[in-house]
Amino acid sequence: MMTVRELSLRLGACLSLLCTGPALAQPPAPGLIATDKGGAVGYQHSMERSRFLSGPPGVALRRLDEHGFAKVVGPEGVFATHLGNGLVIATPSNGLSKEAVGVLAPPPDLRYTLGPDKHNAQVIEYFRAAGVPGDQIGGVHANTYLSSRGTTSEARPAQPQVDGHASILERTVGKFSVVDSVAWARLSNNGRVVSEWVYWPAIPAKVLEEARRLEALVSSGDKSGFLARLPSGLPAGKVVIRHSSAVVEGGFEAFASYDVAEKVLLPSAIAGSGPGASRPPASMIVRHFDVDGVERRLPQERRSVGQDSPRQ
């Protein structure tokens, strides 16, 4: 774990950074994000609340605005906060691209060897201490980072080793999952944050009321009511809260949704799915129906690859 002296030095460097140099845009205020009466508060992460280190204690850091982000840049990494929606992305700079594709294992001080369950517990503790509302942490699951070394001439591939984990919080408000909120972190053995993403917006009271109404409609079992308005043949779904992704531009959207996961054939395979053809490939899509039974698409699902990429 980092010492109090290390934290004090890093905080002092951050404060000095913000008070000197040319005027720069200020990221959203850290801490709880207020909402209307009956809504669910959000959480805004910040470098002062993080255990991510852009550089050794006492080393000068640079602050710049770039591509819509306020960035704190040091020799060991970048802590970036989106100036519009508050998304936080913290990434190390020492060999990240090579590590991401499994070419090199991370340095020993960035590895984690205590197992995913321990990592999950430490990440929950970390985010609680930072300020994420504890009653909104409905669960956590871990993804594992692996790496291996060897040459293409070897008869058998090298046995991969576990380098660490990313523990991902599952947000809930009341009994409803908030699917699109993000808070995950990757720790090292000494408790340092190696990388993290945080986007935890406030949820308006209207959306929570819609979710409760929608849950009542679905649970009533009235086949002539809400479920009768949906397309026939759909599998059973679940009431959740959906909102805009952190990576799309534009105004914030949130709504209660009856989410249904449906298996569909890929368009390119439909024509060749007759007798004698191999089993056509299929894909799972998630469809969203609001409290009125109207199918909705999230902003990130309305993007057109041809029209919207590359972004100007």
Side-chain angles (χ1 to χ4, degrees):
M1 298 292 181
M2 290 185 292
T3 66
V4 173
R5 180 176 180 273
E6 289 174 328
L7 286 171
S8 298
L9 286 171
R10 184 164 64 87
L11 179 58
C14 291
L15 292 176
S16 174
L17 183 72
L18 296 176
C19 296
T20 61
L24 295 169
Q26 294 300 309
L32 295 180
I33 303 171
T35 185
D36 55 348
K37 183 178 180 181
V41 296
Y43 167 72
Q44 178 60 54
H45 202 41
S46 70
M47 191 162 184
E48 294 82 4
R49 293 167 178 253
S50 175
R51 295 210 301 258
F52 179 82
L53 288 179
S54 295
V59 172
L61 306 175
R62 290 189 300 122
R63 164 75 193 276
L64 65 131
D65 294 345
E66 187 176 49
H67 306 306
F69 283 86
K71 296 182 178 182
V72 177
V73 182
E76 295 183 4
V78 179
F79 190 96
T81 306
H82 195 280
L83 293 168
N85 61 26
L87 164 68
V88 163
I89 302 174
T91 58
S93 59
N94 46 352
L96 176 67
S97 60
K98 294 180 179 179
E99 177 197 345
V101 296
V103 176
L104 293 177
D109 61 332
L110 298 186
R111 293 189 63 209
Y112 190 90
T113 59
L114 306 179
D117 293 338
K118 179 72 171 178
H119 192 273
N120 285 344
Q122 289 181 322
V123 168
I124 288 178
E125 179 185 6
Y126 161 61
F127 277 125
R128 281 178 179 269
V132 173
D135 61 354
Q136 295 185 15
I137 301 176
V140 63
H141 63 276
N143 289 346
T144 300
Y145 291 85
L146 301 172
S147 69
S148 64
R149 297 183 181 185
T151 66
T152 56
S153 61
E154 294 179 3
R156 299 179 61 183
Q159 183 69 25
Q161 71 171 10
V162 174
D163 295 326
H165 310 278
S167 291
I168 305 163
L169 299 190
E170 300 160 5
R171 186 184 186 185
T172 60
V173 174
K175 63 183 295 185
F176 305 109
S177 296
V178 187
V179 181
D180 305 289
S181 294
V182 178
W184 67 260
R186 177 181 177 182
L187 306 180
S188 62
N189 278 343
N190 63 6
R192 171 181 172 180
V193 171
V194 177
S195 54
E196 61 185 349
W197 278 55
V198 183
Y199 178 59
W200 205 270
I203 306 299
K206 177 183 176 182
V207 176
L208 297 180
E209 178 57 30
E210 287 177 350
R212 289 187 284 267
R213 285 175 52 206
L214 187 50
E215 178 71 17
L217 290 171
V218 172
S219 301
S220 70
D222 182 3
K223 296 185 178 180
S224 64
F226 173 79
L227 296 177
R229 302 182 212 146
L230 307 184
S232 61
L234 289 178
K238 179 182 179 180
V239 177
V240 299
I241 291 172
R242 306 300 307 238
H243 62 69
S244 307
S245 167
V247 297
V248 297
E249 302 293 339
F252 180 74
E253 296 182 28
F255 62 93
S257 171
Y258 182 66
D259 269 14
V260 179
E262 182 182 26
K263 181 184 289 187
V264 296
L265 297 179
L266 296 178
S268 60
I270 294 176
S273 59
S278 60
R279 179 178 296 179
S283 177
M284 295 297 295
I285 63 170
V286 179
R287 302 175 68 176
H288 321 295
F289 299 91
D290 66 16
V291 70
D292 296 316
V294 176
E295 187 164 7
R296 301 273 297 271
R297 287 191 177 186
L298 294 159
Q300 54 269 30
E301 297 169 334
R302 298 196 295 263
R303 295 183 64 87
S304 167
V305 174
Q307 296 178 7
D308 297 335
S309 300
R311 293 171 58 187
Q312 299 301 314

